[in-house]
Amino acid sequence: VQEIAAAIDKETRGQALIVGLSLGGYVAMAFAHRYPEKTKALVLSGCSVNYPQCMTLAAKINSQLLINLYGERAFVRMLELSFLWIFPRTTMTPVSGSFHPDAWGDAMLEIGSRNFSNQLRTFLGPVMILNGENDTLNRSGERVFAAATRNGKLQIIRGAGHICNLDQPEIFNKAVQNFARSLNPS
C-alpha cells in the first residue's frame, strides 16, 4: 500500500486508476480504503470474496509445508510448470524472481483478518469488478462486493478462470481500457 502511494506521488498528478488481480486486488482495496484521495477508480479482478481466517491459515500452513518438503525454488518451479500447463507459452513469463511463497502465506493470513467488502463501502469512486466466468470462488461473492460499492459495475469475462487476464488478455485489456475511458469522457 505504501509503495503504491509513493508511485502515485512520483508518477501522477495525485490520483490513479488502480487495477488489482487476485492478491493485488485485495491490496488495491486496502489502498483505496487508506488513500481514497489518491484513488481515481478501482478495477478488481479475482478478489471478490472475504476469506475466512481458517482458510487463510490453511493456505499459510500448506505453503510452508510445501516449501519445507521441496524447498522454495522447487515449489516456485512447480508453480511455473502448472502455469505453463494451463496457459499458452506466449503468455507465460517465469515467476521465479517475483513469487515468494512464504510471503504469499503471510499475505493470505492478512487477507483473512480483514473484511474487504466493508472496506470497499468507504470508497466513493467508480469500481469495476471484472471476474472470469469460471472463477467460482470469486463469483460467489461478486454481488456482495458490487453492492458494497457506491458506483460499481460488474463484468464477467466468458471462458476465463481466476487469472482472466491470462485466459482472455485481449478482452481483459479492452474492458480495463473502456472503463478507464469512461472516467474521462472526451
Side-chain angles (χ1 to χ4, degrees):
V1 168
Q2 294 302 329
E3 289 181 28
I4 296 170
I8 288 174
D9 289 343
K10 181 180 177 187
E11 302 294 334
T12 74
R13 294 184 183 145
Q15 276 194 325
L17 164 63
I18 309 296
V19 180
L21 171 70
S22 194
L23 178 57
Y26 292 103
V27 174
M29 284 183 271
F31 178 83
H33 178 70
R34 184 155 182 198
Y35 295 104
E37 74 283 358
K38 294 179 186 286
T39 310
K40 182 168 190 154
L42 293 170
V43 175
L44 305 171
S45 183
C47 57
S48 50
V49 68
N50 285 314
Y51 285 92
Q53 274 194 310
C54 62
M55 182 184 272
T56 59
L57 180 59
K60 167 68 174 172
I61 292 168
N62 187 40
S63 68
Q64 199 58 53
L65 284 173
L66 289 171
I67 291 167
N68 290 340
L69 209 63
Y70 300 107
E72 188 168 310
R73 286 179 56 165
F75 178 76
V76 171
R77 184 64 184 145
M78 285 188 290
L79 178 68
E80 287 177 342
L81 291 172
S82 70
F83 271 65
L84 287 171
W85 180 70
I86 296 169
F87 301 105
R89 286 187 182 273
T90 56
T91 63
M92 180 61 201
T93 58
V95 296
S96 54
S98 61
F99 184 79
H100 304 282
D102 197 42
W104 177 81
D106 292 339
M108 288 302 293
L109 285 177
E110 180 68 25
I111 286 172
S113 71
R114 296 182 185 211
N115 183 318
F116 285 93
S117 57
N118 281 346
Q119 285 189 353
L120 200 51
R121 288 182 204 292
T122 67
F123 179 64
L124 304 178
V127 177
M128 179 169 69
I129 296 173
L130 182 60
N131 284 334
E133 174 183 30
N134 302 320
D135 185 359
T136 54
L137 180 60
N138 286 290
R139 296 284 321 270
S140 71
E142 66 190 15
R143 296 206 184 280
V144 170
F145 275 64
T149 69
R150 304 259 174 114
N151 186 4
K153 172 184 178 180
L154 175 61
Q155 185 171 334
I156 305 304
I157 298 179
R158 302 285 171 225
H162 178 62
I163 308 174
C164 57
N165 64 318
L166 295 181
D167 281 337
Q168 302 285 343
E170 295 85 13
I171 296 170
F172 181 91
N173 292 339
K174 187 76 160 172
V176 173
Q177 290 168 350
N178 288 341
F179 181 69
R181 280 188 205 103
S182 75
L183 301 174
N184 296 318
S186 316

